[in-house]
Amino acid sequence: MARLTAPALRRGLDILELLVDQDEGLRVPEITQHLGLPRATTHELVNTLADRGYVTVSKETGRVAIGLNALRLGAGYERGLDLATVGRECAGEVARACGETVQVVVRDGRFAVFIVRIDSKYSVRLVSQVGSRLLASCTAGGKALLSALPARELDELFPNDKALQQMTSNSISTRKRLLAEVEEARERGWTEEYCESNDHAACVAAPVYDRLGNCVAAMSISVPTPRWGDTEKERYVALVLDGARAMAQRLGARVPS
């Protein structure tokens, strides 16, 4: 293990990481208590961070909060992010773990658009192309995206049963069923489909959120039905949830451990 150095820098970073989740900021005694630092040291570190614009200190309340330069650092990181690149990296990790086809989709109206596809290692695999569009209500990834929408937007997209076009005989065909599956997805954090967009495929998916809490994509694992079963599904659900969390973290979201 590398030897840890620059204790003052580490403590300064500890203060910034502590303040990230404090919307109203903290006073110096509270920072001292949280981090176990000497009060004089905390004052010195806070003053240095404030001098460089990484924190602000309210003259009225004495509360210390994240400053503009910390925001600029985050914005610089965000500018370097590309959703497809991050998705490809995270989907690749999931594909190596499961051996099946892993995809990342984004929503365009009532459609799910594929922006990443990592092929299965097996000779029998599913056929889809980056850039292709499928009805969101017929795919696990699409339903994961729909689960993040408020009721008003869902109503606008699917005002009645006629708005739900079917791709197979198993596709969702009623608003009642769509809303039930969306609600279930919100509660458990993942979605599934069985022969709803393809007569020979099953799939699980999970939504991906960015640092602002917006659902920006969904990751899915698609499997030919001969390789599908309850035991396999349980494993794929765990993998796709881990993959979606990893992607969210790389997009700057704070994900509970």
Side-chain angles (χ1 to χ4, degrees), residues 24-90:
E24 297 181 359
L26 293 172
R27 296 182 178 87
V28 168
E30 294 171 315
I31 296 173
T32 298
Q33 183 176 4
H34 276 286
L35 299 179
L37 297 175
R39 188 161 181 169
T41 299
T42 304
H43 271 292
E44 182 179 351
L45 291 169
V46 165
N47 289 337
T48 300
L49 290 169
D51 183 61
R52 298 298 295 269
Y54 289 99
V55 302
T56 61
V57 183
S58 170
K59 293 181 179 179
E60 289 77 21
T61 66
R63 288 187 175 276
V64 184
I66 288 292
L68 181 60
N69 272 352
L71 178 63
R72 290 180 63 230
L73 284 179
Y77 173 74
E78 190 172 23
R79 284 195 301 272
L81 293 175
D82 175 80
L83 192 61
T85 299
V86 174
R88 195 173 300 111
E89 293 171 354
C90 295

Side-chain angles (χ1 to χ4, degrees), residues 90-110:
C90 295
E93 294 170 5
V94 175
R96 285 189 289 274
C98 69
E100 298 292 354
T101 300
V102 181
Q103 299 164 124
V104 176
V105 298
V106 296
R107 189 177 64 84
D108 181 16
R110 293 188 294 118

